[in-house]
Amino acid sequence: MHNKRGAKEKQNNGKHHLHLFLGFFRVGVLGYGGGPGSIPLIHKEVVDKYGWLSDEEFGDILALANTLPGPIATKLAGYIGQRIAGVMGMINAILSVIMPTIVLMIVLLASLSSIRDFDWVSGMTAAVIPVVGVMLAVLTWQFFEKAGQGIGWIKAIVMSAVILVLLELAGVHPGIIIGALIIAALVKRDGDRSAEGEES
């Protein structure tokens, strides 16, 4: 009985590692446009395809990851890999997401001198940008829709407008805004708990 259970756990663990490798390898290969361009791909893999996280969990992790230093794709890969398959899962996911880029960089830089004059090379990134833009727009609308359902549409619209002004006109760093919102949410929750305690 124990042998069968151990074999099944081993099989499931191997399956998780395979899925982590495939999911984050696809992100590493297709994640054009830098960190922001990788976010919709990671969402597609971990929420839609494998169901490791819900939309709400992914939004919370993304918000927290944005307040911390370092590339967003590796932070998400490390956390999600560790959550799914422990330390080895974390290593697997991080290597899977960064190795394709490293290999491509080595190959492209080694052969760049011979292909840099081709039009398709100079236009490659420009052709991918609209795809990344649409994916980001879809993900943005999904987060905005959830914010509207969670805190109400008026609050969501007002907060979005204020944050847009702070980011684009005032030049405030996104990490500062996210950190301030997290602190405000924690203070509000503690206040609500205190009020509930006094009422009871």
Side-chain angles (χ1 to χ4, degrees):
M1 183 73 178
H2 287 295
N3 289 339
K4 283 186 180 175
R5 187 180 301 167
K8 185 161 181 133
E9 285 177 359
K10 195 172 181 182
Q11 187 179 9
N12 286 337
N13 195 38
K15 195 172 171 186
H16 286 322
H17 278 290
L18 176 62
H19 288 168
L20 279 171
F21 171 78
L22 292 174
F24 282 102
F25 183 81
R26 282 191 286 263
V27 172
V29 170
L30 301 174
Y32 287 90
S38 300
I39 294 171
L41 295 171
I42 297 174
H43 178 273
K44 185 77 179 170
E45 296 291 341
V46 306
V47 176
D48 297 339
K49 186 172 180 63
Y50 294 114
W52 291 324
L53 301 176
S54 65
D55 278 323
E56 289 78 10
E57 289 174 317
F58 185 81
D60 291 343
I61 293 168
L62 180 61
L64 185 59
N66 270 317
T67 65
L68 301 173
I72 188 71
T74 51
K75 285 182 287 186
L76 291 175
Y79 173 78
I80 295 166
Q82 192 277 334
R83 176 167 165 161
I84 300 303
V87 174
M88 292 308 294
M90 176 185 72
I91 295 171
N92 180 9
I94 291 175
L95 289 177
S96 301
V97 81
I98 64 173
M99 283 307 292
T101 305
I102 293 173
V103 172
L104 281 173
M105 281 287 291
I106 293 171
V107 172
L108 284 176
L109 286 175
S111 56
L112 190 60
S113 58
S114 61
I115 63 173
R116 65 195 313 169
D117 294 331
F118 286 99
D119 291 338
W120 66 270
V121 174
S122 58
M124 185 172 60
T125 302
V128 173
I129 286 175
V131 180
V132 175
V134 170
M135 292 171 68
L136 283 172
V138 170
L139 191 61
T140 301
W141 169 249
Q142 289 175 350
F143 283 142
F144 184 70
E145 191 176 26
K146 289 189 182 305
Q149 292 168 353
I151 62 175
W153 286 103
I154 294 177
K155 275 188 182 177
I157 291 171
V158 171
M159 282 184 66
S160 299
V162 171
I163 291 169
L164 181 64
V165 170
L166 290 174
L167 288 174
E168 297 299 323
L169 298 182
V172 178
H173 191 280
I176 295 174
I177 297 174
I178 293 170
L181 288 174
I182 290 174
I183 292 171
L186 291 173
V187 170
K188 184 176 183 305
R189 188 175 66 173
D190 289 342
D192 292 343
R193 283 183 178 174
S194 299
E196 288 174 4
E198 289 175 1
E199 288 178 2
S200 60

